[in-house]
Amino acid sequence: MMKEYLQQQVNIILDDKMREKLNFYCKFLLEENEKYNLTAIIDVNEVWNKHFADSILGSVAIPSNATVCDVGSGAGFPSIPLKIARDDIDITLVDSLNKRIAFTQTLCNQLGISANFYHDRAEDFARLHSEQFDVATARAVAPLNILLEYTAQIVKIGGLVVAYKTDLAEVDVAKHAATLLGLQFEKHYDFTLPDGSKRAILVYKKVKPTPKAYPRGQNKPRKQPL
């Protein structure tokens, strides 16, 4: 069913090798979760629906051969399922918790997946990697105006920020932040996941440089949102 779903929604065809990797991912995630509390989702079907299918839906917004930075990558969502389904992309994972980076490094080593890993806060990473990526992704990280501040700096001019949200409700609230950060709301894609829940993929294009003051340090994006 998952194979048919992804083919219909985003024209991704999961072959046997991809499904084998995702099966290993699911098993490893649930095993390691008992030690490290990586996800609240512990049912196999829910992992496939709410983590794997959901992550891969973002493929619809990612250009061929893109360099993709996953900010707040957690247990590897969305970047690792995207890489499994789209081997053409180059992925970089950034997370502030070392246990999550250690998990994703071990997972990728086991699966033979090439990726870059950074144990760092998003704002610190952005200062050192300004305008280096074609795409920044973020899933379950923060409200949209905060998420945009964390991601805008690292994207090249003409590049994209791809945000995973439930709907379009936050777009109006984030208008000021987007303008200030040099981003322009381009489009959105609406999906219904196999379990019936809703997903919106929001796409912002970077149309001018993000001021060097952003993202702000000392947790200001969360304490004083734009």
Side-chain angles (χ1 to χ4, degrees):
M1 177 177 174
M2 186 62 63
K3 179 179 179 180
E4 290 76 12
Y5 172 80
L6 289 170
Q7 186 170 0
Q8 290 169 2
Q9 298 296 318
V10 291
N11 198 31
I12 292 287
I13 299 173
L14 291 181
D15 60 26
D16 290 343
K17 189 174 181 180
M18 293 173 189
R19 289 198 298 272
E20 183 180 324
K21 288 183 176 181
L22 290 169
N23 277 323
F24 180 89
Y25 193 167
C26 181
K27 182 174 181 288
F28 187 62
L29 173 68
L30 296 180
E31 286 174 353
E32 295 299 295
N33 194 55
E34 295 180 7
K35 309 175 204 172
Y36 301 119
N37 192 26
L38 297 161
T39 175
I41 296 172
I42 57 174
D43 176 80
V44 171
N45 288 331
E46 287 196 351
V47 170
W48 275 84
N49 289 330
K50 294 183 177 180
H51 281 327
F52 295 165
D54 185 44
S55 293
I56 293 170
L57 290 176
S59 171
V60 71
I62 298 177
S64 297
N65 302 307
T67 53
V68 179
C69 184
D70 186 6
V71 177
S73 55
F77 308 118
S79 53
I80 295 178
L82 279 169
K83 176 66 175 175
I84 290 171
R86 289 272 309 273
D87 193 47
D88 61 294
I89 65 173
D90 180 274
I91 61 169
T92 294
L93 288 76
V94 181
D95 200 274
S96 62
L97 285 184
N98 192 52
K99 69 176 183 179
R100 294 174 184 158
I101 290 296
F103 167 79
T104 52
Q105 281 184 307
T106 302
L107 172 67
C108 287
N109 286 339
Q110 293 280 347
L111 291 175
I113 289 174
S114 175
N116 304 299
F117 305 89
Y118 290 86
H119 171 219
D120 210 349
R121 295 178 64 86
E123 54 268 41
D124 296 330
F125 178 84
R127 289 190 196 98
L128 297 174
H129 299 84
S130 179
E131 298 187 359
Q132 289 191 10
F133 295 90
D134 299 317
V135 179
T137 60
R139 178 180 178 268
V141 170
L144 185 59
N145 53 339
I146 298 172
L147 180 158
L148 294 180
E149 183 170 358
Y150 283 140
T151 54
Q153 187 65 254
I154 65 174
V155 176
K156 299 174 184 177
I157 303 295
L160 306 173
V161 173
V162 177
Y164 287 64
K165 289 292 178 179
T166 304
D167 52 41
L168 289 173
E170 297 178 52
V171 172
D172 283 342
V173 178
K175 274 185 178 178
H176 172 68
T179 300
L180 191 61
L181 297 165
L183 299 173
Q184 178 177 292
F185 181 60
E186 285 282 291
K187 63 180 76 173
H188 72 281
Y189 301 89
D190 293 318
F191 298 100
T192 300
L193 289 165
D195 66 353
S197 56
K198 302 297 183 182
R199 169 58 76 202
I201 304 293
L202 311 183
V203 183
Y204 285 82
K205 185 175 183 179
K206 187 164 178 177
V207 293
K208 60 182 181 180
T210 301
K212 294 298 183 184
Y214 302 104
R216 295 163 293 164
Q218 300 177 326
N219 210 26
K220 284 184 179 178
R222 291 183 183 273
K223 292 178 179 176
Q224 301 169 21
L226 297 175

